[in-house]
């Protein structure tokens, strides 16, 4: 999923000049509420298929749900589900904890294996850990928009200020991609959206035999959870929203992506600043600006001669974007860049070259991401709007802006019939007393889901509590390396208690320099 964090004054001024996403059609609250879920089937648990690569202690099954909730007796699709039973005695058991990792397009089928991690073990004593693949993902009525053999064509370019010729080529590719999605999915395409993902979540709750849902969502999973909480507040038990998407209907999804570019620029600078502090180790520059010049020098060299014939500027950018998601990547990315500029391309190739073994899952994830975001809301249909807005943002945030635009540009050519929600996202909000207290977690400098989104959802979900990791930017902070955040999260899931007031945690320690 592409979303938003704190950004500076210059970024705010630039975004103030951008066109808001069109708000066409009727509000989606009425049709969403009118689509009552069909009677829930039961899950027949058994051994997991080998394709899931899950250990013997994990069970798998399927849940059959309507493709179209307006016609629940019509075509059905099967969602794959995984489960690891709670490890504690029966008196400790609190039911099922259902997880969504975000995307859209991410699968939580591996989630039951989290139970073995030290940070999760106390929670795993109380809960069955339940993962699932949302509609379109993996084996859950899989969606595809192009032949996976051609999904990762390497090497490729990624200019921060693209030429008119380059733009026209990307427009042609985006149009072809949208046409491929429509051709391969047919009339089912419009049913891959967040409203139906939330309805599926309700079906999963019922199929698990849970009177109320205990849910944990990360990134896009927070938006999915917030939509669920708006539609089914009486069915919520506990919810943890980790790294929060801004649910403002005017942000979903065109403006969210523009704002994310500026947030990621801040995280890109965080990484460059850290590398500069460790110049003795990496020799990439003593200032953030100097480190940036080293990076773009590598991009220029890769443009002339791709590393191993596989890694061009686009693959470089994709690999280093992960440094914006988590500072776990900071040392190994810095080491790879340093070695490449010294004549050793092997670490960079290992980290940035596409893996053919991932081609099918990568193409599937991209297809679901595109379908959900294009279907959820109306996008600008004219290229001049995209060109103007992204050119403005790229002036202050060049690192991700145009790559992000190319990822989302198929929405400009999306079939008009595919916007099932009517073009206007659900107005996420709950009145006081309607929803049990929920817990929001956010890192103050998160680039993927900026902090402003957590503040917005906090305002919209009455009674929610926000835990902030100050001056940190890792995307996804629950049960990670910040003991303060972990304590609040674990206490909430095990007891239902939220802090008496919003809480602030000190940042986790920066990584040590090296190669790991």
């Amino acid at each position: 999923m592409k979303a938003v964090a704190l950004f500076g004054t210059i970024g705010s001024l630039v975004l103030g000049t951008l066109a808001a996403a069109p708000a066409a059609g009727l509000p989606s609250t009425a049709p969403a509420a009118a689509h009552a879920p069909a009677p829930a089937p039961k899950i027949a648990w058994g051994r997991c298929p080998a394709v899931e690569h899950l250990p013997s202690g994990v069970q798998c099954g399927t849940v059959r749900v309507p493709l179209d909730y307006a016609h629940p007796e019509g075509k059905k699709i099967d969602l794959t589900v995984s489960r690891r039973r709670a490890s504690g005695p029966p008196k400790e058991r609190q039911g099922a904890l259902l997880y969504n990792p975000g995307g859209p397009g991410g699968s939580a089928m591996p989630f039951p294996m989290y139970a073995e991690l030290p940070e999760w073990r106390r929670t795993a004593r109380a809960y069955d850990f339940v993962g699932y693949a949302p509609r379109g993902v993996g084996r859950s009525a899989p969606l595809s928009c192009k032949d996976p053999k051609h999904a990762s064509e390497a090497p490729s370019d990624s200019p921060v200020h693209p030429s008119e010729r380059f733009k026209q080529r990307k427009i042609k590719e985006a149009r072809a991609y949208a046409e491929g999605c429509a051709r391969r999915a047919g009339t089912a395409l419009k049913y891959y959206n967040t409203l139906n993902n939330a309805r599926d979540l309700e079906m999963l709750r019922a199929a698990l035999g849970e009177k109320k849902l205990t849910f944990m969502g990360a990134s896009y999973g927070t938006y999915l959870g917030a939509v669920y909480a708006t539609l089914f507040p009486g069915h919520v038990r506990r919810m943890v929203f980790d790294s929060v998407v801004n649910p403002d209907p005017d942000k979903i999804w065109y403006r969210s992506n523009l704002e994310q570019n500026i947030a990621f620029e801040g995280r890109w600078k965080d990484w460059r600043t850290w590398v500069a502090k460790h110049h003795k180790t990496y020799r990439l520059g003593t200032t953030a600006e100097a480190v940036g010049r080293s990076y773009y020098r590598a991009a220029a060299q890769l443009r002339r001669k791709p590393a191993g014939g596989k890694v061009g500027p686009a693959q470089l950018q994709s690999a280093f974007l992960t440094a914006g998601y988590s500072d776990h990547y900071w040392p190994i990315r810095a080491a790879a860049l340093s070695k490449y500029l010294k004549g050793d391309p092997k670490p960079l190739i290992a980290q940035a070259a596409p893996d053919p073994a991932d081609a099918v899952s990568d193409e599937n994830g991209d297809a679901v991401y595109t379908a959900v975001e294009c279907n959820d809301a109306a996008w600008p249909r004219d290229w001049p709007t995209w060109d103007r807005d992204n050119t403005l943002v790229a002036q202050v945030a060049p690192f991700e802006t145009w790559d992000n635009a190319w990822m989302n540009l198929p929405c400009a050519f999306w079939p008009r019939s595919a916007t099932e929600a009517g073009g206007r996202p659900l107005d996420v909000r709950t009145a006081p007393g309607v929803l049990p207290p929920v817990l929001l977690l956010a890192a103050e400098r998160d680039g993927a889901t900026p902090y402003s989104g957590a503040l917005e959802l906090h305002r919209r979900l009455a009674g929610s509590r926000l835990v902030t990791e100050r001056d940190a930017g890792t995307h996804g902070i629950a049960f990670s390396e910040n003991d303060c955040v972990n304590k609040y999260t674990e206490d909430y899931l095990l007891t239902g208690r939220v802090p008496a007031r919003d809480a602030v945690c000190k940042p986790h320690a920066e990584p040590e320099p090296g190669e790991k």
Side-chain angles (χ1 to χ4, degrees):
M1 192 241 99
K2 308 284 184 183
V4 257
L6 292 178
F7 43 83
T9 304
I10 294 178
S12 301
L13 292 174
V14 170
L15 289 169
T17 69
L18 301 179
L26 297 173
S28 59
T29 48
H35 297 169
K42 300 297 182 181
I43 302 174
W45 295 105
R47 294 183 63 179
C48 294
V51 69
E52 298 293 351
H53 303 291
L54 294 171
S56 59
V58 178
Q59 299 172 302
C60 288
T62 59
V63 174
R64 180 154 288 189
V65 303
L67 174 68
D68 177 7
Y69 280 91
H71 300 93
E73 300 306 319
K75 182 178 179 180
K76 304 293 196 301
I77 58 176
D78 291 326
L79 308 183
T80 61
V81 190
S82 58
R83 178 181 70 174
R84 187 169 194 140
R85 301 303 297 263
S87 61
K91 65 180 181 179
E92 290 186 29
R93 189 177 183 278
Q94 297 194 40
L97 172 61
L98 198 60
Y99 183 74
N100 183 285
S107 174
M109 288 296 286
F111 176 62
M113 293 193 293
Y114 286 26
E116 294 299 315
L117 299 176
E119 296 85 357
W120 291 83
R121 281 182 184 159
R122 285 194 64 202
T123 305
R125 288 178 60 83
Y127 289 98
D128 297 345
F129 276 25
V130 177
Y132 73 108
R135 61 171 59 201
V137 178
R139 296 183 296 118
S140 296
L143 190 63
S144 173
C145 291
K146 63 188 295 186
D147 188 336
K149 294 179 181 177
H150 307 298
S152 298
E153 297 173 351
S156 52
D157 203 355
S158 177
V160 295
H161 300 296
S163 67
E164 186 60 32
R165 182 179 180 180
F166 188 89
K167 291 176 183 178
Q168 292 303 314
R169 177 162 67 84
K170 300 304 282 189
I171 291 170
K172 183 178 179 181
E173 291 175 2
R175 188 189 300 274
Y177 188 85
E179 291 172 352
C181 294
R183 183 174 59 255
R184 285 171 171 252
T187 57
L189 182 62
K190 69 179 181 179
Y191 301 112
Y192 294 87
N193 58 51
T194 299
L195 287 174
N196 282 336
N197 284 341
R199 296 165 184 145
D200 290 346
L201 197 56
E202 172 64 359
M203 293 286 281
L204 283 165
R205 175 202 63 78
L208 289 165
E210 299 292 325
K211 291 183 178 179
K212 295 193 175 185
L213 177 70
T214 303
F215 173 81
M216 189 167 184
S219 194
Y220 166 78
T222 68
Y223 181 62
L224 166 61
V227 170
Y228 179 93
T230 301
L231 297 178
F232 308 105
H235 289 174
V236 172
R237 179 177 179 266
R238 292 171 195 166
M239 283 185 150
V240 177
F241 296 144
D242 181 10
S243 303
V244 182
V245 168
N246 192 323
D248 183 344
D250 290 331
K251 305 286 188 183
I252 307 294
W253 290 102
Y254 180 69
R255 279 185 76 86
S256 289
N257 280 282
L258 290 169
E259 293 183 352
Q260 184 194 49
N261 300 331
I262 291 176
F264 257 112
E265 196 70 22
R267 281 301 280 165
W268 175 232
K269 185 175 181 180
D270 289 347
W271 177 77
R272 290 183 287 122
T273 300
W274 178 87
V275 174
K277 283 167 55 178
H278 301 290
H279 177 67
K280 290 183 179 179
T281 300
Y282 301 113
R283 300 293 177 180
L284 291 171
T286 58
T287 65
E289 292 73 21
V291 174
R293 288 193 293 271
S294 293
Y295 172 85
Y296 286 112
R297 179 157 53 91
Q301 290 181 197
L302 291 168
R303 190 172 290 114
R304 293 190 297 269
K305 182 181 179 181
K310 299 177 180 180
V311 178
Q315 288 70 43
L316 178 76
Q317 198 273 349
S318 180
F320 277 76
L321 182 64
T322 60
Y325 280 92
S326 173
D327 50 24
H328 285 293
Y329 290 103
W330 288 8
I332 65 169
R333 293 294 186 263
L337 182 62
S338 177
K339 289 186 176 182
Y340 172 75
L341 290 173
K342 293 175 183 176
D344 178 6
K346 291 180 182 178
L348 182 62
I349 295 170
Q351 295 178 37
D355 186 346
D358 296 332
V360 172
S361 61
D362 287 349
E363 191 281 325
N364 172 236
D366 287 348
V368 176
Y369 165 84
T370 305
V372 171
E373 294 218 348
C374 295
N375 286 340
D376 272 0
W379 290 68
R381 309 288 297 194
D382 60 305
W383 167 247
T385 296
W386 290 73
D387 195 18
R388 180 198 65 218
D389 291 349
N390 284 279
T391 298
L392 276 170
V393 173
Q395 292 175 7
V396 296
F399 180 67
E400 191 202 8
T401 296
W402 281 109
D403 266 23
N404 202 2
W406 308 139
M407 178 72 182
N408 294 293
L409 189 56
C411 295
F413 308 106
W414 206 244
R416 293 182 184 273
S417 61
T419 313
E420 189 224 4
R424 179 68 176 174
L426 182 72
D427 185 26
V428 167
R429 65 178 68 249
T430 57
V434 172
L435 188 70
V438 299
L439 190 68
L440 280 58
L441 310 176
E444 202 173 32
R445 295 185 59 78
D446 189 339
T449 53
Y451 190 64
S452 56
L455 297 176
E456 182 66 23
L457 185 60
H458 190 21
R459 287 190 288 267
R460 288 169 173 264
L461 297 184
S464 61
R465 287 290 182 269
L466 173 61
V467 175
T468 300
E469 185 180 18
R470 178 168 289 165
D471 198 28
T474 289
H475 183 62
I477 60 175
F479 293 118
S480 186
E481 53 197 340
N482 191 310
D483 291 340
C484 173
V485 174
N486 294 345
K487 183 179 184 304
Y488 282 118
T489 307
E490 183 181 83
D491 191 47
Y492 171 72
L493 286 172
L494 294 181
T495 70
R497 291 192 300 264
V498 293
R501 59 184 63 85
D502 292 343
V504 175
C505 294
K506 295 179 181 179
H508 64 274
E510 287 188 340
E512 293 294 324
E515 298 185 19
K516 295 182 180 182

